[in-house]
Amino acid sequence: MTFKDSALQFQIVDITTLQPDAKHARQNISEDNLKGLVNSIEKIGMIQPIVVHPADAAGRYTVIAGERRRQAAIIAGEKTVPVVIRSCPPEETLKVQVFENIGLGVRSALEPRDMANAIQAISEHFATLEEAAQYFGRAPTWLSQATAAANLSEKVTALLDSGKIASTSTAVQLEKLAKKNEAKAESLIDQIEQLPEGEKVSKKIVDNALSEASGRRKKTEDATPTAEPALSSATASPQAPAPAVTVLSSEEAPAAAVATSAPAQARSKVSPGKVKLVAELLGMNEEDEDEILVRLIDEFLAMKNA
């Protein structure tokens, strides 16, 4: 009988009756990599049961899927764990393990704004930012970034919902711009609101405006005296508080983003295929390379319990 057709039985079992699969696809699991999962189990228990199959007549089981959960539960001090008992032919065990971990649509992350709203709702039950961050096993800076998309202004939210802002990360950048230079942000928002239906602003336009407001862009221009590509044939006057929005359609956006940010193009050496794969695994927009990098750094630091 195949794994797909096998009957399943749910039980709560003594964790000592579980043994690892010696041929498991995941051969190396460091304790550092389990910190986030250990914190989750300590706070709310094991969410997903471990999938096992009978190992012998003495009532022991071999883990098919969930070895990290088993090890994390031991570290968390759990005495019993939920399991789903299923028969699994040896030739199918590896296939089950691969499909559980392969990602690519098998397991999809929440959309960034949905995740931000959920984290924000949980955080509101704590008296301070530090207490909420500690609950998630993360640093307060992570919590601030993770909930940024839950605190968008009405105008920015409306632009995001209408599709005139391509991604949640772009909306967050626009909010950062408003905090640094409200006039520049309002000017840019006004221009975005005038975009025809079906067209959207490039994230690079918002990034450039934020860089100008932060003073970083001027330093770059002083250090590298090269002519900056014009954003459009109708470039805004020097007195204009925000750059003209010219990268509109989804087809034009990637090309224009490259044209307006030569330094970023030179920095990026990762193949587009890899960026797309990581974006899919994180549930993010593949065009937001900077945001993907930030998310990866956050996850790495959290894993190391920074």
Side-chain angles (χ1 to χ4, degrees), residues 162-183:
S162 69
K164 291 184 178 180
I165 297 179
S167 65
T168 302
S169 61
T170 304
V172 170
Q173 290 294 85
L174 191 53
E175 290 289 358
K176 290 180 181 179
L177 175 61
K179 292 180 180 178
K180 290 184 176 295
N181 190 321
E182 186 176 356

Side-chain angles (χ1 to χ4, degrees), residues 55-288:
D56 53 41
R60 294 188 59 81
Y61 304 94
T62 300
V63 174
I64 302 174
E67 178 57 25
R68 290 183 72 249
R69 275 165 276 166
R70 184 188 73 86
Q71 293 190 26
I74 292 174
I75 297 172
E78 298 293 301
K79 302 301 181 184
T80 60
V81 290
V83 300
V84 171
I85 305 169
R86 300 186 67 170
S87 296
C88 186
E91 65 273 12
E92 287 196 351
T93 301
L94 183 61
K95 296 176 184 177
V96 173
Q97 292 165 356
V98 168
F99 272 99
E100 193 209 19
N101 292 283
I102 200 171
L104 299 177
V106 176
R107 183 177 296 170
S108 180
L110 285 174
E111 195 277 329
R113 191 159 38 145
D114 293 337
M115 177 64 82
N117 287 330
I119 294 174
Q120 175 84 357
I122 295 172
S123 300
E124 290 172 354
H125 291 86
F126 296 89
T128 66
L129 183 72
E130 289 73 20
E131 288 181 8
Q134 186 177 16
Y135 178 79
F136 288 105
R138 305 293 182 94
T141 51
W142 172 87
L143 186 59
S144 296
Q145 293 173 355
T147 57
N151 297 291
L152 301 176
S153 65
E154 289 185 9
K155 282 188 175 181
V156 174
T157 298
L159 291 174
L160 184 60
D161 290 339
S162 69
K164 291 184 178 180
I165 297 179
S167 65
T168 302
S169 61
T170 304
V172 170
Q173 290 294 85
L174 191 53
E175 290 289 358
K176 290 180 181 179
L177 175 61
K179 292 180 180 178
K180 290 184 176 295
N181 190 321
E182 186 176 356
K184 185 183 287 289
E186 285 296 329
S187 177
L188 185 53
I189 288 172
D190 288 342
Q191 294 180 59
I192 297 172
E193 287 176 336
Q194 300 305 314
L195 294 178
E197 185 176 352
E199 296 184 345
K200 60 188 177 183
V201 67
S202 164
K203 183 174 183 293
K204 290 299 179 183
I205 295 295
V206 180
D207 286 345
N208 287 345
L210 181 58
S211 294
E212 288 178 348
S214 303
R216 293 193 299 269
R217 192 174 183 185
K218 188 177 187 304
K219 291 180 181 179
T220 302
E221 290 170 348
D222 291 342
T224 310
T226 55
E228 181 184 342
L231 295 177
S232 71
S233 57
T235 306
S237 64
Q239 292 77 22
V245 178
T246 59
V247 184
L248 307 178
S249 68
S250 57
E251 291 79 7
E252 294 168 341
V258 173
T260 57
S261 184
Q265 182 186 34
R267 184 205 67 188
S268 180
K269 296 181 181 180
V270 182
S271 72
K274 289 182 179 179
V275 173
K276 182 177 180 180
L277 177 60
V278 173
E280 288 178 349
L281 293 173
L282 295 176
M284 301 177 69
N285 188 322
E286 64 186 89
E287 293 180 15
D288 298 336

